Amino acid sequence: MAVIPVDRKPLSFAERTYMPQILSGMKITFKHLMAPKVTMEYPEERPAIPAGYRGVPTLVKDPNGREKCVSCQLCEFVCPPKAIRITPGEIPPDAPTRHVEKAPQAFDIDMLRCIYCGLCQEVCPEEAIFLQQQYTMTGYSREEMVNHKDRLYELGGTLPDEHYKWDKKKAAEEHGNAH
Ligand code: SF4
Ligand code: SF4
């Protein structure tokens, strides 16, 4: 096999000192040093979450502190990865909310299954489940990654109720009109 010798271009004096390469690297370093920061010291610093962000699904109460979920199980039915498990429970006859048919006895959302699609929020007829701004979910076991009812209400808090549906129903019942 023929060997073709290649003439190597001799280095200039500047190239032999490595100065052009060092200066070019320093120029890039100083450019980024002066530019606005694009990173943050998480978790001490947190980003501003935009409106409409779909974080962890949560259950919410109305301004009277009453749970809005009526345990209809539509969200459980519609959830694509089957992340929701609901055990419906009856409202005791002596409870102030006895005019509401049902409430969840147990309500679990498995965050290892949830894909944050928001279908549960869209389908809920009571506006009881919302994907809010919470985006960190950590745990040491699979069980810790399941949000139970208490935790779901703790994360969800209270949201303004526009319709006060159950107050209207209660008032109608007290006036002898159940519908
Ligand atoms: S956001 Fe989607 S995946 Fe998660 S619980 Fe709701 S319906 Fe299921
Ligand atoms: S959260 Fe809404 S859709 Fe799900 S069971 Fe409760 S009322 Fe029904």
Side-chain angles (χ1 to χ4, degrees):
M1 187 196 285
V3 176
I4 302 173
V6 177
D7 288 334
R8 199 170 277 195
K9 190 180 150 205
L11 294 177
S12 66
F13 175 73
E15 282 169 337
R16 272 186 274 135
T17 62
Y18 295 106
M19 284 314 282
Q21 293 80 359
I22 292 172
L23 290 176
S24 156
M26 295 301 283
K27 188 176 151 199
I28 294 173
T29 303
F30 277 106
K31 189 174 139 204
H32 287 287
L33 206 63
M34 301 302 163
K37 269 202 308 183
V38 292
T39 55
M40 59 175 54
E41 300 277 340
Y42 184 87
E44 288 79 16
E45 287 178 56
R46 303 275 177 142
I49 306 296
Y53 180 83
R54 292 204 306 232
V56 174
T58 64
L59 286 175
V60 300
K61 295 190 174 179
D62 74 6
N64 296 322
R66 189 167 51 217
E67 53 185 324
K68 295 169 86 174
C69 174
V70 294
S71 202
C72 68
Q73 295 179 273
L74 274 178
C75 55
E76 184 178 16
F77 178 75
V78 83
C79 176
K82 302 292 172 212
I84 302 178
R85 284 284 173 275
I86 300 170
T87 307
E90 286 187 14
I91 304 275
D94 54 344
T97 51
R98 62 190 175 280
H99 56 296
V100 181
E101 287 87 358
K102 284 191 297 179
Q105 200 179 79
F107 199 123
D108 301 330
I109 302 184
D110 186 343
M111 293 312 299
L112 291 176
R113 284 177 168 257
C114 177
I115 55 173
Y116 299 80
C117 63
L119 284 180
C120 50
Q121 176 178 323
E122 278 184 40
V123 80
C124 179
E126 300 297 329
E127 299 180 351
I129 186 166
F130 284 90
L131 277 68
Q132 299 199 58
Q133 296 189 335
Q134 172 79 18
Y135 56 86
T136 49
M137 273 295 299
T138 54
Y140 290 109
S141 64
R142 286 178 176 273
E143 176 50 37
E144 281 181 36
M145 295 302 288
V146 178
N147 281 336
H148 301 296
K149 184 175 154 179
D150 289 349
R151 177 78 178 134
L152 291 170
Y153 277 120
E154 189 186 315
L155 289 171
T158 298
L159 280 189
D161 192 330
E162 285 182 12
H163 305 296
Y164 292 95
K165 177 177 165 183
W166 297 113
D167 285 348
K168 286 177 191 162
K169 187 173 181 201
K170 186 176 184 183
E173 277 177 358
E174 283 167 3
H175 287 86
N177 178 7
H179 302 287

